[in-house]
Amino acid sequence: MHRSASRFTRVLACAAVPVVLAVSGCSSDSGSGSGSDGDGGRKSGASSASSPSAKPTPTLEKVAFAKLPEPCKAIVQKTVDTLVPEAKDKDGTSAKSNDLTSRATCSWNGLDENGLKGSEYRWLAISMARYDSHETLGSGNKRAAEQYAKQVEAAKTAEGATGVKAADAAGIGDEATTVTSSAKKQVDFFNQTVVARTENVVITLDYNGASYEGMKAPDPAKLLQGAVAAAKEAVASVAAANK
């Protein structure tokens, strides 16, 4: 019995060897798998390290002017009285705007009647547009410069205008152009337009005059002189509103 038991024990011991080897083999495979995962992790890390970093967002240029002045107060009252005698509304008429910090306009008109001497009509209007810096459209100054060029071109190609003359105007903002012309509407109208840019704001000032019933036609040179003076006041009002 003892001899049989010992032999049975040796058989069990031999039979257990392949089982242990099998387990060891599995453990070895598992370790190899872990090693693969480790390699994969290293490859992933290398890929991540070599991938390009996100480009930084460019800093937008800060604009000089964050708001516009009240359009009907951009020209002093004394100047309005001189340019538009007998204005229907001395305080001016402003147009509606969804954003008065970016768009604003005001106009004055009046007929100065002088009995048998005839009558004088005058019309004055100011339009202001302000531009902010935009990530895709560019800086406020760049956008304003583009609009300035468009406004000058619009003044030079106004419908019905004849004898159009454009000239650079020094001393009005960063850049300015005067455009003079005339148009026939029952009588001769003499038009004076001043387009000016001050930093990120574009100002378009229109001033025209006509005479009726025998009154001598207005002097275009004097009309232009008045328009330039008013444009200078408008440019100064933009800076004053942003102090």
Side-chain angles (χ1 to χ4, degrees), residues 23-200:
V23 172
S24 298
C26 290
S27 298
S28 176
D29 290 343
S30 175
S32 175
S34 299
S36 298
D37 289 342
D39 290 342
R42 286 194 293 272
K43 290 178 181 178
S44 175
S47 175
S48 176
S50 63
S51 62
S53 57
K55 293 182 180 179
T57 303
T59 302
L60 291 176
E61 179 184 85
K62 184 178 180 181
V63 295
F65 302 126
K67 61 181 179 179
L68 294 174
E70 292 184 44
C72 293
K73 293 183 179 180
I75 302 172
V76 300
Q77 190 62 56
K78 183 179 179 180
T79 300
V80 172
D81 292 341
T82 300
L83 298 184
V84 190
E86 303 300 324
K88 291 181 180 179
D89 186 351
K90 291 184 179 294
D91 293 329
T93 302
S94 59
K96 293 182 179 180
S97 172
N98 293 327
D99 184 4
L100 291 174
T101 65
S102 297
R103 296 284 187 279
T105 63
C106 188
S107 63
W108 300 261
N109 69 85
L111 182 65
D112 186 11
E113 298 178 305
N114 293 285
L116 296 177
K117 294 181 179 181
S119 303
E120 291 183 311
Y121 175 79
R122 295 291 185 272
W123 182 78
L124 172 67
I126 181 173
S127 173
M128 295 180 286
R130 189 187 66 83
Y131 296 87
D132 284 314
S133 292
H134 191 281
E135 186 174 338
T136 56
L137 299 178
S139 70
N141 280 18
K142 173 179 175 292
R143 297 176 66 197
E146 292 172 348
Q147 182 61 24
Y148 165 81
K150 291 179 181 178
Q151 289 296 96
V152 171
E153 188 61 25
K156 292 194 294 184
T157 58
E159 184 178 356
T162 60
V164 179
K165 295 180 181 180
D168 292 336
I172 310 176
D174 295 303
E175 55 183 336
T177 299
T178 61
V179 181
T180 63
S181 64
S182 61
K184 190 74 174 181
K185 300 177 182 178
Q186 295 181 340
V187 295
D188 290 325
F189 273 76
F190 296 91
N191 307 304
Q192 320 297 321
T193 298
V194 181
V195 183
R197 180 182 70 82
T198 173
E199 299 284 0
N200 59 309

